[in-house]
Amino acid sequence: MTTLLYDGSFDGLFTAVFEVFEYRYKDVEIISRERFHQENIFAEIHEVITQNDKSERVLNKLEKNIGNQGIHELLKVYLSEDPEAEQLILSAVKQSIKYPDENILQNYTDEAILKISKICKSVSRERHRMTAFVRFEKMQDDVFFAKIDPDFNVLPLIRKHFKDRYQDQKWMIYDLRRNYGLLYNLETCDFFYPDEKIDLNKYEQKFHDQEKNYQTLWQRYFTKTNIVERKNLKLHLQHVPKRYWKYLTEKW
């Protein structure tokens, strides 16, 4: 068994995939350095240095074989943080090269492809929920701040949605679990990586004076419009699972 260790990045992963073919590895696994714990003392370790040219060569080949949509599906697998993500992506690349004229991502008789399909559906569902349930809070510097804690690393997948929808105001979306976020300053929309996790016990002190008034009004509106006799908790939980309630002002 040869273990390829990479830096955890998307380009790093596809550099590793390139080197699987470059060095003709057969019995191989790809794993990020962060998650690596050597259990087999006899395993050969191959350190992967991220090289954009190698990554691009794999992605260009994939674009020809499975198209941009296919690459987007593999990106979802990568962002799922599934323990098998690297091996599933490697399997898909191998099949796309072996069967270049087939739509390999629809070959659900293959166990790896079937799992890729299931992961993509779960990630897509989480992406949709993040676009629906994110709530912004106005801060003293007039930046609108939102915190999220998604099951999957969907921040890159919701970037375009929020950039297109909120072009006239500055905003930040911060992933609590992964300690990074998106910042839109009316010109650019970039990822940011704070040195330390944002202290949520202190951030409310930076609310704009209007923010608590907004929240009180919204909670009052929600209470007034909530018809108890027509309450259907089962249906409500189906559309808005409890784990998303922390994003909703009306649930506080």
Side-chain angles (χ1 to χ4, degrees), residues 220-244:
R220 191 173 300 161
Y221 168 80
F222 183 78
T223 302
K224 294 290 185 182
T225 57
N226 185 25
I227 303 173
V228 177
E229 291 78 8
R230 297 181 63 183
K231 189 172 184 178
N232 186 332
L233 183 59
K234 184 177 180 181
L235 181 63
H236 185 62
L237 289 173
Q238 181 180 334
H239 290 286
V240 190
K242 270 192 174 180
R243 59 197 174 96
Y244 298 105

mmCIF file of all heavy atoms in Angstrom, residues 220-244:
data_model
loop_
_atom_site.group_PDB
_atom_site.id
_atom_site.type_symbol
_atom_site.label_atom_id
_atom_site.label_comp_id
_atom_site.label_asym_id
_atom_site.label_seq_id
_atom_site.Cartn_x
_atom_site.Cartn_y
_atom_site.Cartn_z
ATOM 1 N N ARG A 220 -41.989 39.438 17.144
ATOM 2 C CA ARG A 220 -43.361 39.816 17.448
ATOM 3 C C ARG A 220 -44.281 39.493 16.261
ATOM 4 O O ARG A 220 -45.377 38.961 16.427
ATOM 5 C CB ARG A 220 -43.413 41.312 17.780
ATOM 6 C CG ARG A 220 -44.740 41.781 18.364
ATOM 7 C CD ARG A 220 -44.615 43.229 18.804
ATOM 8 N NE ARG A 220 -43.578 43.400 19.810
ATOM 9 C CZ ARG A 220 -43.016 44.571 20.095
ATOM 10 N NH1 ARG A 220 -43.362 45.652 19.417
ATOM 11 N NH2 ARG A 220 -42.102 44.652 21.033
ATOM 12 N N TYR A 221 -43.788 39.771 15.040
ATOM 13 C CA TYR A 221 -44.570 39.470 13.825
ATOM 14 C C TYR A 221 -44.798 37.965 13.706
ATOM 15 O O TYR A 221 -45.910 37.503 13.419
ATOM 16 C CB TYR A 221 -43.829 39.990 12.596
ATOM 17 C CG TYR A 221 -44.382 39.491 11.279
ATOM 18 C CD1 TYR A 221 -45.523 40.061 10.708
ATOM 19 C CD2 TYR A 221 -43.768 38.432 10.609
ATOM 20 C CE1 TYR A 221 -46.036 39.593 9.515
ATOM 21 C CE2 TYR A 221 -44.269 37.958 9.411
ATOM 22 C CZ TYR A 221 -45.407 38.555 8.872
ATOM 23 O OH TYR A 221 -45.907 38.073 7.692
ATOM 24 N N PHE A 222 -43.759 37.194 13.951
ATOM 25 C CA PHE A 222 -43.854 35.736 13.827
ATOM 26 C C PHE A 222 -44.857 35.180 14.831
ATOM 27 O O PHE A 222 -45.656 34.296 14.518
ATOM 28 C CB PHE A 222 -42.476 35.102 14.050
ATOM 29 C CG PHE A 222 -42.455 33.611 13.870
ATOM 30 C CD1 PHE A 222 -42.443 33.042 12.612
ATOM 31 C CD2 PHE A 222 -42.451 32.769 14.981
ATOM 32 C CE1 PHE A 222 -42.424 31.667 12.448
ATOM 33 C CE2 PHE A 222 -42.436 31.396 14.825
ATOM 34 C CZ PHE A 222 -42.419 30.842 13.556
ATOM 35 N N THR A 223 -44.828 35.713 16.051
ATOM 36 C CA THR A 223 -45.758 35.255 17.086
ATOM 37 C C THR A 223 -47.200 35.569 16.716
ATOM 38 O O THR A 223 -48.100 34.739 16.851
ATOM 39 C CB THR A 223 -45.419 35.920 18.436
ATOM 40 O OG1 THR A 223 -44.071 35.600 18.793
ATOM 41 C CG2 THR A 223 -46.360 35.432 19.540
ATOM 42 N N LYS A 224 -47.434 36.770 16.190
ATOM 43 C CA LYS A 224 -48.789 37.200 15.839
ATOM 44 C C LYS A 224 -49.364 36.417 14.663
ATOM 45 O O LYS A 224 -50.566 36.177 14.575
ATOM 46 C CB LYS A 224 -48.796 38.695 15.507
ATOM 47 C CG LYS A 224 -48.474 39.604 16.691
ATOM 48 C CD LYS A 224 -49.594 39.601 17.713
ATOM 49 C CE LYS A 224 -49.299 40.605 18.822
ATOM 50 N NZ LYS A 224 -50.364 40.595 19.860
ATOM 51 N N THR A 225 -48.495 36.028 13.726
ATOM 52 C CA THR A 225 -48.978 35.340 12.522
ATOM 53 C C THR A 225 -49.000 33.826 12.668
ATOM 54 O O THR A 225 -49.433 33.120 11.764
ATOM 55 C CB THR A 225 -48.106 35.697 11.302
ATOM 56 O OG1 THR A 225 -46.732 35.370 11.588
ATOM 57 C CG2 THR A 225 -48.225 37.176 10.969
ATOM 58 N N ASN A 226 -48.516 33.325 13.794
ATOM 59 C CA ASN A 226 -48.478 31.882 14.021
ATOM 60 C C ASN A 226 -49.833 31.416 14.549
ATOM 61 O O ASN A 226 -50.195 31.666 15.700
ATOM 62 C CB ASN A 226 -47.368 31.546 15.023
ATOM 63 C CG ASN A 226 -47.195 30.046 15.199
ATOM 64 O OD1 ASN A 226 -47.528 29.280 14.303
ATOM 65 N ND2 ASN A 226 -46.692 29.637 16.352
ATOM 66 N N ILE A 227 -50.609 30.728 13.720
ATOM 67 C CA ILE A 227 -51.945 30.271 14.098
ATOM 68 C C ILE A 227 -51.825 28.914 14.786
ATOM 69 O O ILE A 227 -51.502 27.898 14.154
ATOM 70 C CB ILE A 227 -52.858 30.158 12.861
ATOM 71 C CG1 ILE A 227 -52.917 31.513 12.139
ATOM 72 C CG2 ILE A 227 -54.242 29.676 13.251
ATOM 73 C CD1 ILE A 227 -53.643 31.458 10.818
ATOM 74 N N VAL A 228 -52.057 28.886 16.100
ATOM 75 C CA VAL A 228 -51.851 27.686 16.908
ATOM 76 C C VAL A 228 -52.691 26.522 16.402
ATOM 77 O O VAL A 228 -52.238 25.372 16.330
ATOM 78 C CB VAL A 228 -52.183 27.976 18.389
ATOM 79 C CG1 VAL A 228 -52.044 26.713 19.227
ATOM 80 C CG2 VAL A 228 -51.283 29.082 18.918
ATOM 81 N N GLU A 229 -53.958 26.786 16.040
ATOM 82 C CA GLU A 229 -54.872 25.723 15.608
ATOM 83 C C GLU A 229 -54.393 25.026 14.341
ATOM 84 O O GLU A 229 -54.778 23.882 14.068
ATOM 85 C CB GLU A 229 -56.281 26.298 15.380
ATOM 86 C CG GLU A 229 -57.006 26.741 16.649
ATOM 87 C CD GLU A 229 -56.499 28.097 17.151
ATOM 88 O OE1 GLU A 229 -55.697 28.729 16.412
ATOM 89 O OE2 GLU A 229 -56.887 28.509 18.261
ATOM 90 N N ARG A 230 -53.570 25.711 13.565
ATOM 91 C CA ARG A 230 -53.111 25.129 12.293
ATOM 92 C C ARG A 230 -51.667 24.649 12.383
ATOM 93 O O ARG A 230 -51.054 24.314 11.385
ATOM 94 C CB ARG A 230 -53.235 26.167 11.165
ATOM 95 C CG ARG A 230 -54.677 26.592 10.916
ATOM 96 C CD ARG A 230 -54.774 27.588 9.777
ATOM 97 N NE ARG A 230 -54.334 26.994 8.518
ATOM 98 C CZ ARG A 230 -54.260 27.678 7.363
ATOM 99 N NH1 ARG A 230 -54.615 28.950 7.336
ATOM 100 N NH2 ARG A 230 -53.865 27.092 6.270
ATOM 101 N N LYS A 231 -51.153 24.588 13.585
ATOM 102 C CA LYS A 231 -49.756 24.193 13.775
ATOM 103 C C LYS A 231 -49.563 22.715 13.436
ATOM 104 O O LYS A 231 -50.304 21.851 13.923
ATOM 105 C CB LYS A 231 -49.345 24.454 15.229
ATOM 106 C CG LYS A 231 -47.858 24.272 15.487
ATOM 107 C CD LYS A 231 -47.504 24.736 16.895
ATOM 108 C CE LYS A 231 -46.013 24.647 17.144
ATOM 109 N NZ LYS A 231 -45.662 25.136 18.502
ATOM 110 N N ASN A 232 -48.599 22.423 12.593
ATOM 111 C CA ASN A 232 -48.285 21.045 12.191
ATOM 112 C C ASN A 232 -46.790 20.846 12.391
ATOM 113 O O ASN A 232 -45.987 21.102 11.500
ATOM 114 C CB ASN A 232 -48.676 20.818 10.724
ATOM 115 C CG ASN A 232 -48.504 19.364 10.307
ATOM 116 O OD1 ASN A 232 -47.675 18.645 10.853
ATOM 117 N ND2 ASN A 232 -49.272 18.941 9.321
ATOM 118 N N LEU A 233 -46.413 20.415 13.592
ATOM 119 C CA LEU A 233 -44.999 20.322 13.955
ATOM 120 C C LEU A 233 -44.251 19.324 13.076
ATOM 121 O O LEU A 233 -43.117 19.564 12.670
ATOM 122 C CB LEU A 233 -44.852 19.932 15.428
ATOM 123 C CG LEU A 233 -43.418 19.873 15.971
ATOM 124 C CD1 LEU A 233 -42.740 21.233 15.814
ATOM 125 C CD2 LEU A 233 -43.402 19.433 17.421
ATOM 126 N N LYS A 234 -44.904 18.204 12.746
ATOM 127 C CA LYS A 234 -44.247 17.191 11.913
ATOM 128 C C LYS A 234 -43.877 17.757 10.550
ATOM 129 O O LYS A 234 -42.754 17.575 10.057
ATOM 130 C CB LYS A 234 -45.168 15.980 11.757
ATOM 131 C CG LYS A 234 -44.533 14.834 10.973
ATOM 132 C CD LYS A 234 -45.462 13.627 10.909
ATOM 133 C CE LYS A 234 -44.811 12.494 10.110
ATOM 134 N NZ LYS A 234 -45.708 11.312 10.021
ATOM 135 N N LEU A 235 -44.828 18.466 9.914
ATOM 136 C CA LEU A 235 -44.566 19.071 8.606
ATOM 137 C C LEU A 235 -43.525 20.185 8.731
ATOM 138 O O LEU A 235 -42.658 20.331 7.872
ATOM 139 C CB LEU A 235 -45.865 19.628 8.028
ATOM 140 C CG LEU A 235 -45.760 20.269 6.631
ATOM 141 C CD1 LEU A 235 -45.326 19.225 5.610
ATOM 142 C CD2 LEU A 235 -47.091 20.883 6.222
ATOM 143 N N HIS A 236 -43.616 20.937 9.806
ATOM 144 C CA HIS A 236 -42.660 22.034 10.034
ATOM 145 C C HIS A 236 -41.236 21.492 10.144
ATOM 146 O O HIS A 236 -40.303 22.033 9.537
ATOM 147 C CB HIS A 236 -43.046 22.777 11.314
ATOM 148 C CG HIS A 236 -42.208 23.985 11.584
ATOM 149 N ND1 HIS A 236 -42.152 25.068 10.732
ATOM 150 C CD2 HIS A 236 -41.367 24.284 12.612
ATOM 151 C CE1 HIS A 236 -41.328 25.980 11.219
ATOM 152 N NE2 HIS A 236 -40.849 25.527 12.353
ATOM 153 N N LEU A 237 -41.066 20.410 10.899
ATOM 154 C CA LEU A 237 -39.734 19.821 11.066
ATOM 155 C C LEU A 237 -39.222 19.220 9.765
ATOM 156 O O LEU A 237 -38.014 19.167 9.528
ATOM 157 C CB LEU A 237 -39.769 18.742 12.158
ATOM 158 C CG LEU A 237 -39.936 19.253 13.586
ATOM 159 C CD1 LEU A 237 -40.121 18.091 14.541
ATOM 160 C CD2 LEU A 237 -38.720 20.078 13.993
ATOM 161 N N GLN A 238 -40.144 18.766 8.920
ATOM 162 C CA GLN A 238 -39.746 18.209 7.630
ATOM 163 C C GLN A 238 -39.105 19.280 6.747
ATOM 164 O O GLN A 238 -38.131 19.028 6.049
ATOM 165 C CB GLN A 238 -40.971 17.614 6.926
ATOM 166 C CG GLN A 238 -40.664 16.990 5.568
ATOM 167 C CD GLN A 238 -41.905 16.423 4.918
ATOM 168 O OE1 GLN A 238 -42.866 16.055 5.592
ATOM 169 N NE2 GLN A 238 -41.909 16.361 3.600
ATOM 170 N N HIS A 239 -39.665 20.493 6.793
ATOM 171 C CA HIS A 239 -39.163 21.581 5.954
ATOM 172 C C HIS A 239 -38.060 22.385 6.645
ATOM 173 O O HIS A 239 -37.164 22.900 5.974
ATOM 174 C CB HIS A 239 -40.317 22.507 5.558
ATOM 175 C CG HIS A 239 -41.277 21.890 4.599
ATOM 176 N ND1 HIS A 239 -40.979 21.701 3.273
ATOM 177 C CD2 HIS A 239 -42.521 21.389 4.773
ATOM 178 C CE1 HIS A 239 -42.002 21.124 2.663
ATOM 179 N NE2 HIS A 239 -42.947 20.917 3.554
ATOM 180 N N VAL A 240 -38.144 22.484 7.978
ATOM 181 C CA VAL A 240 -37.147 23.253 8.727
ATOM 182 C C VAL A 240 -36.668 22.406 9.909
ATOM 183 O O VAL A 240 -37.149 22.562 11.032
ATOM 184 C CB VAL A 240 -37.726 24.592 9.248
ATOM 185 C CG1 VAL A 240 -36.606 25.470 9.809
ATOM 186 C CG2 VAL A 240 -38.484 25.316 8.153
ATOM 187 N N PRO A 241 -35.728 21.476 9.682
ATOM 188 C CA PRO A 241 -35.239 20.632 10.776
ATOM 189 C C PRO A 241 -34.695 21.462 11.940
ATOM 190 O O PRO A 241 -34.205 22.571 11.747
ATOM 191 C CB PRO A 241 -34.101 19.838 10.097
ATOM 192 C CG PRO A 241 -34.461 19.831 8.657
ATOM 193 C CD PRO A 241 -35.101 21.164 8.394
ATOM 194 N N LYS A 242 -34.795 20.898 13.139
ATOM 195 C CA LYS A 242 -34.430 21.641 14.350
ATOM 196 C C LYS A 242 -32.994 22.161 14.316
ATOM 197 O O LYS A 242 -32.695 23.202 14.896
ATOM 198 C CB LYS A 242 -34.618 20.754 15.585
ATOM 199 C CG LYS A 242 -36.005 20.847 16.190
ATOM 200 C CD LYS A 242 -36.030 20.193 17.561
ATOM 201 C CE LYS A 242 -37.394 20.422 18.228
ATOM 202 N NZ LYS A 242 -37.448 19.805 19.568
ATOM 203 N N ARG A 243 -32.108 21.426 13.656
ATOM 204 C CA ARG A 243 -30.710 21.866 13.665
ATOM 205 C C ARG A 243 -30.515 23.189 12.933
ATOM 206 O O ARG A 243 -29.446 23.801 13.027
ATOM 207 C CB ARG A 243 -29.799 20.791 13.071
ATOM 208 C CG ARG A 243 -30.101 20.383 11.646
ATOM 209 C CD ARG A 243 -29.424 19.050 11.336
ATOM 210 N NE ARG A 243 -29.794 18.546 10.040
ATOM 211 C CZ ARG A 243 -29.096 18.725 8.947
ATOM 212 N NH1 ARG A 243 -27.990 19.443 8.988
ATOM 213 N NH2 ARG A 243 -29.486 18.210 7.806
ATOM 214 N N TYR A 244 -31.531 23.659 12.178
ATOM 215 C CA TYR A 244 -31.427 24.939 11.482
ATOM 216 C C TYR A 244 -32.111 26.069 12.245
ATOM 217 O O TYR A 244 -32.025 27.219 11.840
ATOM 218 C CB TYR A 244 -32.032 24.834 10.076
ATOM 219 C CG TYR A 244 -31.314 23.835 9.201
ATOM 220 C CD1 TYR A 244 -31.880 22.604 8.916
ATOM 221 C CD2 TYR A 244 -30.053 24.119 8.677
ATOM 222 C CE1 TYR A 244 -31.214 21.670 8.132
ATOM 223 C CE2 TYR A 244 -29.390 23.192 7.892
ATOM 224 C CZ TYR A 244 -29.971 21.981 7.624
ATOM 225 O OH TYR A 244 -29.308 21.062 6.848
#
